[in-house]
Amino acid sequence: MSAPLIFFSIDVATIVCAALLGVRVLASRPRLRSAQLIGLIAFSMACGVVLGHQEYGYWMPPAFRIDVGGWAGFLNLSRNLTPGLFMLLCFTLFTDQRRFPLWLLLLLVVQLGLEEPGHALIPAAWRYARLATQTAPALLQTLFAAFALYWTVADWRFDMVERRRRIRALTLAISGVVAMVSGLLTRVLIDPASPANYIAHVTLMATDLAILAFVLFQLTNGDVGRYLDFDPAEPPSPARRSTADADSGPALARLMALLEDERVCQNEGLSLKGLADRVGLPEYRLRKLIHEQLGYRNFNALLHDYRIREACRQLSDPGLRRTPILTIALSVGYASVNTFSRGFREIMGVTPSAYRDAELAKLAARGRPEGE
């Protein structure tokens, strides 16, 4: 079999695998944001393969060339959206934050604007044309891939969900590295008009094919959604968090005693390992217990929840109305008032001072004589 035919077979197999992956994931969880992002990434990869047969046509026999006509701009935009989509996917899968950083979204818009209509509007003879249409977008893509990798590893130690921990490892080992180097290789480091660039393109396509085939193989076994949706089967109720009866087991009872009675979460330096030692369990078993029995996906979420609950109790106490917010923040385990205020707003939706004013006003209203 000739080399061009082998390369063409790789491209066809990549498109087929990308299509199968997108359909498989979207059919499993059509309304899940991570599933939608994976579907878009699969589509973007297929667009990149098709466009490559026009851009690298001068290295291919005529039989393997594709003239995309007026679709070139759309295909180019879709192809170069992949690192941004990958960044959004890692943010969705691996963080428990609600809002994506606005400035990163703005940079994504800038990158896409330099891709299209940048290529059409910026004259090729301009001195900085390559910088504006190739180098700058490639550097932005590398930045997006770097953020994706950061979110993949940032809370790894505190992640309670074993499946998500394994997916972090897969993402870090394969997909993130490819997403980071592909743009720099084919757009900046290697001359786009050289044979080496075409070889790099084919190598990246073969790597993408291997990744797609491996992921598809994994998804053929069981429910696809379990790889994408990490919420507990049942949302934890307050009673579930605060009650440890005889049927829950000694480990859960000991954990709840530490959380509710000894209030270990108020210790500023509390770590997952330290808590596991006090419960008498290995870390992996404590992670499973916290996720499956208490419903927390992240160790920091557990700490924030118990610390904010204690802070709410203190802020609602009329006897502590003159106690500074900083003092309360330190007493419940926070190292700074800024971290406390940010965590308080995320959970309660208001600032600590606003919460205190509202709660004390309610107490004062209940204490007034009727008709006053």
Side-chain angles (χ1 to χ4, degrees):
M1 185 180 291
S2 64
L5 185 57
I6 293 175
F7 297 159
F8 182 74
S9 300
I10 290 174
D11 287 346
V12 171
T14 302
I15 292 176
V16 171
C17 285
L20 289 175
L21 175 63
V23 171
R24 181 85 169 90
V25 171
L26 287 172
S28 174
R29 292 288 194 277
R31 296 186 179 181
L32 197 64
R33 180 177 298 177
S34 55
Q36 295 167 356
L37 287 170
I38 290 175
L40 287 173
I41 289 173
F43 177 76
S44 297
M45 292 177 67
C47 288
V49 174
V50 173
L51 186 60
H53 278 262
Q54 173 169 293
E55 292 183 337
Y56 295 101
Y58 43 84
W59 302 113
M60 301 176 183
F64 299 118
R65 298 172 189 168
I66 298 176
D67 183 5
V68 298
W71 289 94
F74 172 78
L75 293 173
N76 182 54
L77 193 64
S78 299
R79 173 185 60 181
N80 288 300
L81 183 58
T82 304
L85 292 173
F86 181 67
M87 171 182 63
L88 289 167
L89 177 63
C90 290
F91 177 86
T92 302
L93 285 177
F94 303 135
T95 77
D96 294 319
Q97 302 176 41
R98 298 177 182 177
R99 294 183 179 180
F100 188 82
L102 179 60
W103 67 274
L104 274 176
L105 281 179
L106 293 176
L107 285 181
L108 180 57
V109 172
V110 170
Q111 182 244 321
L112 295 178
L114 292 174
E115 306 287 1
E116 298 293 339
H119 279 86
L121 297 180
I122 297 176
W126 183 43
R127 181 178 180 182
Y128 300 105
R130 178 170 169 77
L131 174 65
T133 61
Q134 295 292 339
T135 305
L139 291 176
L140 287 174
Q141 289 178 328
T142 304
L143 175 67
F144 301 153
F147 266 96
L149 294 182
Y150 166 74
W151 284 317
T152 301
V153 301
D155 294 325
W156 199 332
R157 288 185 55 200
F158 307 109
D159 198 341
M160 303 288 103
V161 189
E162 194 59 35
R163 287 196 308 273
R164 188 164 65 172
R165 290 170 63 85
R166 291 195 295 267
I167 293 176
R168 286 179 190 266
L170 175 65
T171 302
L172 181 64
I174 304 176
S175 306
V177 175
V178 173
M180 177 170 285
V181 303
S182 60
L184 287 177
L185 277 178
T186 58
R187 305 183 69 176
V188 179
L189 300 179
I190 303 177
D191 183 1
S194 69
N197 195 287
Y198 177 56
I199 297 300
H201 166 76
V202 173
T203 302
L204 290 169
M205 286 298 101
T207 305
D208 288 340
L209 175 59
I211 295 171
L212 288 169
F214 175 78
V215 172
L216 275 174
F217 175 78
Q218 293 294 316
L219 296 186
T220 55
N221 182 21
D223 178 20
V224 177
R226 66 192 179 97
Y227 294 95
L228 304 174
D229 191 355
F230 304 106
D231 287 326
E234 298 179 5
S237 64
R240 188 178 180 184
R241 289 198 300 260
S242 60
T243 303
D245 55 29
D247 295 334
S248 300
L252 180 58
R254 174 59 179 158
L255 174 62
M256 296 309 300
L258 288 167
L259 296 175
E260 300 286 353
D261 301 331
E262 300 184 33
R263 300 179 180 180
V264 293
C265 287
Q266 295 179 39
N267 299 334
E268 181 184 334
L270 182 66
S271 64
L272 180 62
K273 185 180 184 306
L275 183 58
D277 291 341
R278 297 189 66 170
V279 175
L281 290 176
E283 280 190 50
Y284 77 94
R285 288 188 58 191
L286 180 63
R287 286 196 300 266
K288 183 177 180 181
L289 183 69
I290 291 175
H291 175 59
E292 294 183 356
Q293 297 298 324
L294 306 186
Y296 295 100
R297 303 193 305 173
N298 185 286
F299 182 65
N300 287 332
L302 179 144
L303 292 179
H304 280 307
D305 188 20
Y306 277 91
R307 287 172 176 175
I308 296 304
R309 279 197 273 167
E310 173 59 22
C312 287
R313 186 194 67 78
Q314 294 188 31
L315 291 169
S316 302
D317 187 347
L320 299 175
R321 69 173 67 237
R322 297 188 182 278
T323 303
I325 299 293
L326 174 60
T327 301
I328 293 178
L330 296 175
S331 72
V332 299
Y334 287 95
S336 71
V337 69
N338 290 334
T339 304
F340 168 65
S341 297
R342 185 166 56 250
F344 194 96
R345 283 196 305 270
E346 288 178 357
I347 293 177
M348 304 304 298
V350 295
T351 63
S353 57
Y355 178 86
R356 167 186 267 173
D357 292 342
E359 291 300 308
L360 294 180
K362 290 178 186 177
L363 289 175
R366 286 199 295 267
R368 290 174 188 156
E370 202 171 311
E372 185 175 316

